[in-house]
Amino acid sequence: MARVAFIGLGNMGGGMAANLAKKGHDVRAFDLSPEALAKAEKAGCLAAASAAEALDGAEAVITMLPAGSHVETVYADAVFAAAPVSAILIDCSTIDVATARRVAEAAQAKGFTMVDAPVSGGIAAASAGTLTFMVGGSAEGFERAQPFLADMGKAVIHAGVGGSGQAAKIVNNMLLGVTMVGTCEAFLLAQKLGLDPQKFFDISSVSSGQSWSMTSYAPLAGVGPDTPADHDYQGGFATALMLKDLRLAMEAASGADADTPMGAKAAELYERFNAQGQGGTDFSGIIRMLDERHSGS
C-alpha cells in the first residue's frame, strides 16, 4: 500500500478518498472545509493541516477540485513545490482540455509524471467505489495511476495523450445531456398521445429508441428502475454539474471548430433550467420544465 495525498474532499472527493483508505492506503487528506476534513478522518484518512503537509512523502497525489483555475493554482502553488518528484500526479477534476494540457506540460517540465483522470458515475458511485475513470497521459503515467484509480472505481480506461480524459468526459456528458432531453420529450409526447408511460418504457427500452437515459435513468417516477425521479429528483447528478460539463463541451467545440447543434440546444435548455433555481435538482428533472413549456404555462 502507498502514501497518497488527496486534495479536494467535496461530494465526490470525500467518497473517493474514503475508498482509498478502505483499501489500506495511507491517505493524507486536505480540504479548506473543516467539515470535509472531519468526515475524511472518520472514514480512515489522516487530516492534514495544509496541502504541503498532505503532499510530504506522497507516492501518489490525487486532486478533485471544482474548476480549472483551482487545479492550476493548487499544482503551481502547492503540488510542484511540496510533492516528491517521484510521485504520480492524478487530477480527477472535470476541467477544460486546454488547462489540463497546460498543467500536465508544466508537470512534465518539472520532472513529474501526470495524468488527467476525470470520472463518470456521480456521488453514489464515488462512495461505492464504482466510478469509471477516463485517463489522459502517457502509457507510463497510465500504468502508474491505474492501481490507485482501480481502488476507487469499476473501470479505468486509457483515452489517449494528456487531456484526452477530459475530452472523453465532456463529450460523453454532452451526449448524456442530449439524450436526456430527448428522452424527456419522448415521454411527454407519449403521454399526450395517450400512451401509458410504463407501456412506452417497455417498448422503447427494447427498441431502437433505447438509451441509458431511457433504460437506466427514466425521468418519470414509477417507470423503470429506481431513479432520482422516484425521489422528487433529489440525489443523482445535479443540474449545475451537467451544465458545467455542457459549457465545457461547447467551449471545446468552439475551439475545435466542431458543429454541435444538439449539444448547443441541450446547453441552452439546461441554462434555462438552472436559472430557475434548479441547480441542485437532478438533471432528469428538466422534464418538469419541458412539460410546462409544452403545456404553454
Side-chain angles (χ1 to χ4, degrees), residues 91-225:
D91 180 41
C92 293
S93 317
T94 295
I95 63 175
D96 62 286
V97 176
T99 298
R101 289 181 173 156
R102 190 164 57 245
V103 175
E105 287 167 3
Q108 184 177 21
K110 294 180 179 296
F112 290 95
T113 300
M114 182 176 182
V115 299
D116 52 287
V119 308
S120 177
I123 297 170
S127 297
T130 57
L131 293 166
T132 293
F133 291 89
M134 295 151 270
V135 186
S138 66
E140 176 203 353
F142 176 76
E143 184 177 350
R144 291 180 60 192
Q146 196 275 341
F148 298 101
L149 299 175
D151 282 341
M152 300 183 287
K154 64 178 181 181
V156 183
I157 302 166
H158 191 193
V161 299
S164 297
Q166 299 295 349
K169 168 68 182 288
I170 61 176
V171 172
N172 177 75
N173 278 17
M174 181 187 75
L175 179 59
L176 175 60
V178 168
T179 57
M180 179 54 75
V181 170
T183 299
C184 291
E185 287 185 343
F187 270 114
L188 293 171
L189 178 58
Q191 285 182 298
K192 290 180 183 297
L193 294 176
L195 288 171
D196 176 78
Q198 183 63 50
K199 291 294 184 184
F200 173 64
F201 172 87
D202 292 342
I203 294 166
S204 189
S205 63
V206 294
S207 300
S208 55
Q210 188 275 333
S211 69
W212 185 87
S213 295
M214 168 66 69
T215 307
S216 302
Y217 220 81
L220 281 181
V223 176

Side-chain angles (χ1 to χ4, degrees), residues 51-69:
E53 182 179 307
L55 291 160
D56 184 38
E59 296 168 67
V61 176
I62 301 174
T63 48
M64 189 58 156
L65 301 164
S69 59

